[in-house]
């Protein structure tokens, strides 16, 4: 089994998942018109996907753990493909909503089991970088896949955008079949024992940190277009450029996060969350100029995604006896953070605090995540002291 091939195959799957997750955000008006729904109702397609990820992550992981890793990952991408085809053929709003739920069921389990596979094909000191390589597909989707699918949906029709995304699922299935060995059949998981591992305080603390880190990101990311319009006076073309710059920042940050996480999981998490908090609190001061706003979006994108590899690995190590389930649930925690961040940003705006307060609110979430990392470190020291005394 060649690590490069395995990681590339996982990255193709991640690229497809990233494309289907974020494309509807840019096509909401087109989709709403196509199924005769209002834009707020069409927005529920995004919410339904996030809920499906959170609920489906542990259930699908436990169901598919009994299969070999290659078979499980291929079947999960099969669900992805079917879900996107159903979306392309959906005759009405409610069928499309159900199709998006079907599509989301593969998300958490694919990244959870994929992270375990990625970490298993490289030496221990390179595991975080390997996980980051898989997530690279997700970040690159924001640069290429999402804009391409959005353009296709706007020019030709949103149904074709979903159909094209389904093709990515078929490519991922073929890549996984080629790159991964058949391997041994999985075992039926001991549900109670694995859930007991997840319920440990240090695992829950690590997952809570994930929620806050993702929440910091989506407090701004969800409302980046109106924030730029209000504070920067940005045109539609500049907003598009800003989204591309954020995607480039995601990709650079993902690589940086993997490298520093190989050095120290807690150390890298502290650095990235601390810098992210400072950047977001100061961001309103630099968004008034197009040049400084562009630079700020690039740097913000880099540090906001650099947090992902260390946060994912922290959970996998804390729950070493149930890494697949923990990793999958942690992906669900990222999506819970998405909802928390979007709700916080919306509350800031609805309370009349102004768009300048949106990134500041996200910065406070990042600072809260930094506090949890510090508390986790203190807990490790305390546990070590008790162990030595015993």
């Amino acid at each position: 089994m060649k690590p490069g091939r395995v990681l590339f195959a996982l990255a193709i799957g991640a690229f497809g998942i990233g494309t289907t997750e974020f494309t509807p955000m840019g096509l909401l008006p087109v989709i709403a018109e196509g199924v005769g729904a209002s834009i707020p109702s069409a927005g529920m397609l995004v919410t339904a996907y996030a809920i499906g990820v959170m609920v489906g992550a542990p259930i699908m992981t436990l169901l598919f753990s009994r299969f070999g890793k290659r078979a499980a990952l291929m079947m999960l991408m099969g669900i992805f493909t079917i879900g996107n085809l159903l979306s392309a053929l959906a005759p009405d709003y409610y069928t499309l909503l159900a199709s998006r739920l079907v599509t989301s069921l593969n998300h958490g389990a694919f990244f959870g089991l994929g992270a375990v596979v990625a970490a298993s094909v490289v030496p221990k000191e390179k595991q975080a970088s390997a996980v980051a390589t898989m997530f690279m597909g997700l970040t690159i989707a924001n640069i290429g896949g999402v804009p391409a699918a959005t353009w296709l949906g706007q020019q030709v029709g949103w149904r074709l955008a979903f159909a094209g995304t389904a093709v990515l699922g078929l490519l991922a299935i073929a890549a996984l079949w080629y790159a991964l060995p058949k391997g041994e059949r999985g075992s039926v998981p001991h549900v109670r024992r694995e859930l007991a591992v997840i319920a440990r305080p240090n695992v829950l603390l690590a997952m809570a940190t994930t929620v806050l880190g993702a929440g910091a990101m989506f407090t701004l990311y969800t409302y980046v277009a109106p924030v730029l319009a209000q504070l920067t006076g940005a045109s539609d073309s500049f907003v598009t450029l800003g989204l591309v710059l954020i995607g480039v920042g995601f990709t650079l940050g993902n690589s940086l996060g993997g490298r520093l996480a190989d050095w120290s999981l807690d150390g890298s998490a502290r650095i990235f969350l601390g810098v992210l908090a400072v950047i977001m609190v100061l961001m309103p001061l630099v968004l008034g100029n197009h040049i400084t706003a562009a630079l700020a979006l690039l740097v913000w994108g880099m540090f906001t995604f650099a947090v992902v590899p260390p946060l994912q690995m922290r959970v996998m190590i804390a729950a070493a006896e149930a890494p697949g389930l923990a990793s999958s649930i942690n992906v669900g925690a990222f999506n819970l953070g998405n909802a928390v961040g979007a709700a916080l940003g919306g509350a800031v705006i609805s309370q009349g605090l102004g768009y300048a307060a949106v990134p500041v609110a996200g910065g406070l979430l990042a600072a809260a995540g930094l506090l949890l990392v510090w508390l986790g470190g203190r807990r490790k020291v305390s546990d070590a002291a008790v162990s030595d005394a015993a």
Side-chain angles (χ1 to χ4, degrees):
M1 182 164 55
K2 296 183 178 181
R5 290 180 180 176
V6 173
L7 297 178
F8 182 68
L10 292 171
I12 292 175
F15 180 87
I17 292 172
T19 299
T20 201
E21 180 180 13
F22 295 112
T23 293
M25 298 177 186
L27 291 176
L28 282 185
V30 179
I31 293 174
E33 183 180 355
V35 294
S38 66
I39 289 180
S41 295
M44 285 299 297
L45 298 171
V46 177
T47 303
Y49 188 94
I51 292 172
V53 173
M54 289 187 284
V55 175
I59 296 174
M60 301 300 285
T61 300
L62 292 172
L63 285 176
F64 283 85
S65 293
R66 66 191 66 206
F67 302 102
K69 292 293 190 299
R70 183 175 75 161
L73 290 169
M74 289 174 64
M75 285 188 287
L76 287 167
M77 289 310 298
I79 293 173
F80 167 92
T81 303
I82 292 171
N84 278 287
L85 285 176
L86 290 174
S87 297
L89 298 172
D92 54 46
Y93 169 74
Y94 291 104
T95 307
L96 180 58
L97 189 68
S99 300
R100 290 297 290 168
L101 277 171
V102 171
T103 307
S104 71
L105 293 178
N106 87 300
H107 187 126
F110 182 88
F111 279 115
L113 296 176
V116 174
V117 171
S120 70
V121 298
V122 297
K124 186 175 181 179
E125 66 273 11
K126 294 184 177 180
Q127 288 181 339
S129 293
V131 172
T133 299
M134 177 186 69
F135 277 103
M136 187 74 74
L138 183 65
T139 65
I140 293 176
N142 284 277
I143 301 174
V146 173
T150 301
W151 179 87
L152 185 65
Q154 291 171 338
Q155 301 300 318
V156 184
W158 61 271
R159 295 181 185 279
L160 195 58
F162 282 120
T165 307
V167 174
L168 294 176
L170 296 176
L171 291 175
I173 292 172
L176 291 165
W177 178 84
Y178 175 72
L180 272 67
K182 186 175 182 180
E184 298 180 359
R185 187 177 179 83
S187 58
V188 178
H190 194 296
V191 177
R192 183 174 297 178
R193 184 166 55 212
E194 293 206 3
L195 290 177
V197 173
I198 302 302
R200 291 175 183 169
N202 60 328
V203 178
L204 294 176
L205 192 64
M207 289 183 176
T209 308
T210 296
V211 173
L212 292 175
M217 170 185 173
F218 274 84
T219 301
L220 175 59
Y221 195 31
T222 305
Y223 303 98
V224 67
V227 166
L228 289 175
Q230 291 291 323
L231 302 183
T232 314
S235 63
D236 289 345
S237 59
F238 185 85
V239 171
T240 301
L241 173 63
L243 292 174
V244 172
L245 289 173
I246 290 172
V248 172
F250 285 172
T251 304
L252 295 175
N254 184 64
S255 178
L256 176 64
R259 291 177 182 275
L260 261 68
D262 284 334
W263 159 69
S264 171
L265 291 178
D266 284 358
S268 59
R270 290 192 192 100
I271 291 171
F272 295 139
L273 286 170
V275 174
L276 180 60
V278 172
I279 290 173
M280 296 193 75
V281 169
L282 296 178
M283 189 169 279
L285 301 178
V286 299
L287 289 181
N289 177 278
H290 281 65
I291 295 176
T292 55
L295 292 173
L297 292 175
L298 176 65
V299 174
W300 173 79
M302 184 169 67
F303 279 94
T304 200
F305 214 92
V307 174
V308 173
L311 293 187
Q312 187 74 6
M313 285 301 301
R314 287 175 82 246
V315 170
M316 290 172 62
I317 291 176
E321 297 92 333
L325 180 61
S327 181
S328 299
I329 293 178
N330 198 50
V331 173
F334 275 111
N335 279 266
L336 176 58
N338 297 356
V340 169
L344 177 60
V348 167
I349 296 169
S350 64
Q351 291 299 314
L353 299 177
Y355 285 94
V358 172
V360 175
L364 295 178
L365 281 186
L370 177 60
L371 177 61
L372 290 190
V373 175
W374 178 78
L375 290 175
R378 290 280 298 240
R379 185 179 182 86
K380 288 179 184 177
V381 172
S382 177
D383 291 346
V386 171
S387 178
D388 291 341

